[in-house]
């Protein structure tokens, strides 16, 4: 690694990958620091290894090559990914635009659906969203469509960033990929590169233009320039075999994700005293909720075969409630993820004790500890029960607060969720109606391990706004009071989106990166 670049980008998910790509295309010398490893198809867990699900958990000391980062905070459990490509390594590939009315409240004036549409379009060059083809027919699509009909909410196929077709070189990045083989493993990594992930699209293209990507490099501190126009300096821990070090650039883009970026800024606040008082505010879980409708009996709803086909394929809309219900899927016999979502009551013995102790530490202020592989059991596969899985989203109040705890200065999220009660009531009501229409037995869950609310779509913490009183960044991701410092990732989203968020995060990053390229210091 060089000592200095034109731009340093922290994180390589949607925000980081897109920014690195557009700056590298513009001829800038770009360095990307990513705390997780680089995955190729053969690194993802194979079906025969699924009993080894605990190996999936990322931990900076015990398992820096892990894929999932699961954090238990006081009020919220958050699931994200670590690795080059960020959340796109495990996402269900759903690419939805936010409804126009979302932008009417809580967003900077410049951001409207009309303003974002060209940037949404731009993301499609790389991510190429397509609906599942009719051939071969998928049972889960059939079962969900029948469920929607019974519930009088017709199912719509979801646009997925998945390649359905022949083996090819991706036109945006020239990376080889095969077509989708309906392996149902999108949420633990697609072994045939059929998902248009950020690492094989934007990041690969950035590299073809000379960007350097450094996996297993976790950024720890940020120092502002000592003089106007000088370099930002970041320090990193090398989680691989090399040495820790620092790297500099006049432009620093933070794209470490909602938790990663908010944590970095909170922990470096003394070095950056002019940051907005809004830092840490507007946390949202994007109204995530999970429902499992067991043993459906209504015509056409049985035998959805949830492990066959992309993880999500279709959705039912409840526009008056701002709620969507999408189908979900799990790789065949994949119990590890269910363990995480079903919580401690499904654990036994010393693992249960370990998790209880971890929970106690969190309550005493020692939060922000990723779950470790030993927290989860290796389990034998169980026969699948006939079920419809509902992955739901709505517009919560986005009024959670990230902060450092007293006396340990650990990152934590506090969220009483009282103002979101109506949203979660609407989600539960919608799930009940649909399960009833399918004549199934609904298990509705908001909770993750140890009964805390769980989300895989965290947003906010560095909200965008038109003034520094209410926002950490402006509508282009520029950090107020700190020229040269940008945030372009999910942390700048100031409200819940109520649909899968990555396309909106990507569009905001495309827009911010284009403005950064246009105004780059000579
Ligand atoms: C199981 C799952 C399924 C999902 N499915 C969908 C879906 O179908 N559609 C959708 O729209 N969204 C989906 N999401 C959400 C989506 O993945 C996220 O909204 C999106 O990835 C956020 O993008 P980002 O750029 O903000 O951050 P991320 O993609 O999370 O990228 C942040 C990156 O920064 C790295 N990082 C963090 N801290 C540091 C540090 N200190 N130093 C260096 N690197 C650091 C992380 O390792 C990570 O790679 C899903 C999420 C999960 C977990
Ligand atoms: S269903 Fe299988 S092949 Fe298709 S994208 Fe998902 S993991 Fe890849």
């Amino acid at each position: 690694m060089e000592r200095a670049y034109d731009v340093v980008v922290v994180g390589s998910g949607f925000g980081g990958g897109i920014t690195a790509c557009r700056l590298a295309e513009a001829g800038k010398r770009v360095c990307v620091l990513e705390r997780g490893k680089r995955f190729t198809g053969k690194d993802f867990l194979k079906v025969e290894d699924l009993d080894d699900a605990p190996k999936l958990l990322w931990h900076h000391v015990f398992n820096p090559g892990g894929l999932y980062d699961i954090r238990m905070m006081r009020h919220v459990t958050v699931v994200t990914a670590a690795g080059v490509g960020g959340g796109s390594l495990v996402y269900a590939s759903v690419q939805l635009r936010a409804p126009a009315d979302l932008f009417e409240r809580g967003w900077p004036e410049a951001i409207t659906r009309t303003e974002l549409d060209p940037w949404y379009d731009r993301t499609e060059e790389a991510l190429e969203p397509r609906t599942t083809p009719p051939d071969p027919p998928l049972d889960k699509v059939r079962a969900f469509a029948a469920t929607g009909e019974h519930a009088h909410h017709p199912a719509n196929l979801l646009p997925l960033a998945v390649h359905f077709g022949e083996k090819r070189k991706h036109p945006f990045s020239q990376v080889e990929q095969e077509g989708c083989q309906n392996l149902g493993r999108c949420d633990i990594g697609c072994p045939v590169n059929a998902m248009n992930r950020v690492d094989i699209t934007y990041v690969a293209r950035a590299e073809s233009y000379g960007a350097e990507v450094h996996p297993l490099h976790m950024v720890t501190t940020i120092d502002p320039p000592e003089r106007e126009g000088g370099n930002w300096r970041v320090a990193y821990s090398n989680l691989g075999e090399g040495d820790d070090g620092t790297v500099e650039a006049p432009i620093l883009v933070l794209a470490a994700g909602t938790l990663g970026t908010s944590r970095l800024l909170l922990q470096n606040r003394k070095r950056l005293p002019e940051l907005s008082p809004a830092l840490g505010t507007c946390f949202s879980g994007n109204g995530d909720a999970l429902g499992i409708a067991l043993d459906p009996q209504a015509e056409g709803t049985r035998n959805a075969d949830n492990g066959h086909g992309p993880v999500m394929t279709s959705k039912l809309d409840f526009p008056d409630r701002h709620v969507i219900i999408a189908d979900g899927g799990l790789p065949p016999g994949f119990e590890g993820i269910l363990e995480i979502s079903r919580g401690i009551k499904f654990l036994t013995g010393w693992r249960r004790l370990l998790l209880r102790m971890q929970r106690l530490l969190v309550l005493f202020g020692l939060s922000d500890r990723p779950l470790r592989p030993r927290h989860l059991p290796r389990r034998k596969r169980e026969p699948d029960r006939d079920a419809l899985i509902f992955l739901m989203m709505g517009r919560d109040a986005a009024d959670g607060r990230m902060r450092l705890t007293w006396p340990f200065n650990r990152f934590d999220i506090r969220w009483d969720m009282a103002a979101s009660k109506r949203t979660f009531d609407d989600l539960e009501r919608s799930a009940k109606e649909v399960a009833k229409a399918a004549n199934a037995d609904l298990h509705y869950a908001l909770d993750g391990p140890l009964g805390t609310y769980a989300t895989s779509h965290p947003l906010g913490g560095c909200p965008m706004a038109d003034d520094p009183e209410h926002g950490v960044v402006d509508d282009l991701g520029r950090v107020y009071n700190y020229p040269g410092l940008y945030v372009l990732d999910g942390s700048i989203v100031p409200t819940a989106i109520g649909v899968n968020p990555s396309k909106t995060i990507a569009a905001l990053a495309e827009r911010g990166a284009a403005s950064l390229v246009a105004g780059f210091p000579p």
Side-chain angles (χ1 to χ4, degrees), residues 11 14-15 34-35 83 86-87 91-94 219 256 456-457 489-490 500-502:
F14 287 88
E34 163 57 54
R35 68 179 176 164
Y91 77 150
S93 310
V94 176
V219 170
S456 56
H457 298 129
D489 61 19
N500 314 59
S502 68

Side-chain angles (χ1 to χ4, degrees), residues 3 6 27 52 63 101 136 170 222 250 281 298-299 303 306 315 317 335 345-346 387 402-403 426 431 460 464 473 483:
R3 220 182 115 62
D6 293 331
D52 272 348
N63 198 22
D101 72 303
H170 192 296
I222 301 170
T281 61
E299 194 184 338
N303 302 321
N306 291 308
K315 71 171 168 47
D317 292 291
E335 285 295 309
K345 53 187 180 289
F346 288 84
M402 305 174 183
R403 41 170 275 184
D426 280 346
M464 46 168 54
V473 300

Side-chain angles (χ1 to χ4, degrees), residues 382-395:
E382 289 171 4
D384 287 339
R385 251 179 99 180
D386 194 15
L388 297 162
I389 299 177
F390 299 158
L391 300 178
M392 295 176 274
M393 275 156 260
R395 294 190 199 168

Side-chain angles (χ1 to χ4, degrees), residues 10-16 33-36 68 79-83 85-88 90-95 187 217-219 255-258 260 263-264 312 456-457 488-491 500-503 505:
V10 182
S12 63
F14 287 88
L33 300 173
E34 163 57 54
R35 68 179 176 164
Y68 271 104
V79 183
T80 58
S88 77
V90 298
Y91 77 150
S93 310
V94 176
Q95 291 291 294
D187 48 14
H217 281 62
M218 185 171 78
V219 170
T258 292
R263 178 191 294 120
L264 267 176
M312 289 165 89
S456 56
H457 298 129
L488 289 171
D489 61 19
S491 69
N500 314 59
S502 68
K503 192 165 177 121
I505 296 169

Side-chain angles (χ1 to χ4, degrees), residues 53-393:
K55 277 192 197 157
L56 284 173
L57 294 183
W58 180 90
H59 190 285
H60 62 290
V61 177
F62 300 105
N63 198 22
L67 179 60
Y68 271 104
D69 180 7
I70 301 182
R71 305 259 164 174
M72 264 196 280
M73 308 291 167
R74 194 178 179 104
H75 296 142
V76 191
T77 294
V78 183
V79 183
T80 58
V84 177
S88 77
L89 291 166
V90 298
Y91 77 150
S93 310
V94 176
Q95 291 291 294
L96 287 173
R97 296 177 192 223
D101 72 303
L102 177 82
F103 301 105
E104 286 166 10
R105 268 196 331 158
W107 287 74
E109 219 174 297
I111 306 285
T112 61
R113 172 66 187 265
T114 312
E115 169 62 23
L116 276 193
D117 268 334
W119 304 106
Y120 278 131
D121 291 345
R122 196 158 196 218
T123 66
E124 297 185 0
E125 273 178 49
L127 301 177
E128 294 192 336
R130 306 277 185 272
T131 53
T132 46
D135 193 28
L138 294 171
D139 284 329
K140 65 196 316 246
V141 171
R142 181 260 306 151
F144 214 66
T147 304
E149 258 175 52
H150 292 299
H152 305 296
H153 286 278
N156 295 303
L157 286 177
L158 288 163
L160 305 178
V162 171
H163 170 54
F164 301 100
E166 298 301 312
K167 186 172 176 171
R168 65 165 187 175
K169 286 194 172 163
H170 192 296
F172 186 73
S173 61
Q174 303 306 313
V175 171
E176 281 208 353
Q177 62 178 167
E178 293 182 38
C180 175
Q181 296 164 20
N182 293 317
L183 302 174
R185 292 165 56 186
C186 322
D187 48 14
I188 52 166
C190 177
V192 298
N193 274 358
M195 282 158 66
N196 294 322
R197 304 186 313 252
V198 170
D199 55 326
I200 65 166
T201 55
Y202 285 107
V203 173
R205 185 170 165 103
E207 289 175 303
S208 73
Y209 280 89
E212 286 178 23
V213 178
H214 297 279
L216 297 173
H217 281 62
M218 185 171 78
V219 170
T220 50
T221 59
I222 301 170
D223 281 303
E226 283 165 8
R227 53 174 179 83
E228 205 176 312
N231 280 350
W232 287 85
R233 197 166 77 241
V234 298
Y236 57 81
S237 286
N238 189 333
L239 308 181
E241 285 167 9
D243 296 326
D244 299 349
T246 59
V247 60
E248 299 183 5
I251 300 289
L252 172 60
V253 181
L254 300 180
T258 292
L259 264 61
T261 295
S262 306
R263 178 191 294 120
L264 267 176
L265 288 180
L266 281 165
Q267 289 172 342
N268 283 277
R269 197 172 202 159
K270 285 207 176 117
R271 297 160 192 263
L272 302 165
E274 304 299 324
L275 284 173
S276 160
L279 178 61
T281 61
C282 296
F283 174 82
S284 160
N286 207 33
D288 275 12
L290 171 74
I292 302 181
L294 289 170
D295 299 324
Q297 300 295 328
E299 194 184 338
T301 61
R302 293 190 60 75
N303 302 321
D305 197 4
N306 291 308
H308 183 71
V311 161
M312 289 165 89
T313 62
S314 325
K315 71 171 168 47
L316 315 181
D317 292 291
F318 297 77
D320 49 329
R321 302 173 191 171
H322 300 304
V323 163
I324 65 166
I325 299 185
D327 63 333
L330 288 174
F334 192 68
E335 285 295 309
I337 287 181
L338 268 190
E339 292 301 338
I340 294 161
S341 59
R342 289 193 295 191
I344 192 172
K345 53 187 180 289
F346 288 84
L347 296 180
T348 52
W350 58 274
R351 286 199 169 81
R352 189 184 175 100
L353 194 68
L354 265 182
L355 266 182
R356 278 210 191 286
M357 279 168 55
Q358 168 130 348
R359 179 76 186 136
L360 266 184
L361 292 177
V362 169
L363 292 177
F364 283 118
L366 278 162
S367 51
D368 201 24
R369 299 151 64 90
L371 285 193
R372 286 161 58 173
R374 65 183 180 146
H375 285 128
L376 287 183
R378 290 184 161 75
R379 281 176 68 98
K380 292 281 163 262
R381 295 184 214 165
E382 289 171 4
D384 287 339
R385 251 179 99 180
D386 194 15
L388 297 162
I389 299 177
F390 299 158
L391 300 178
M392 295 176 274
M393 275 156 260

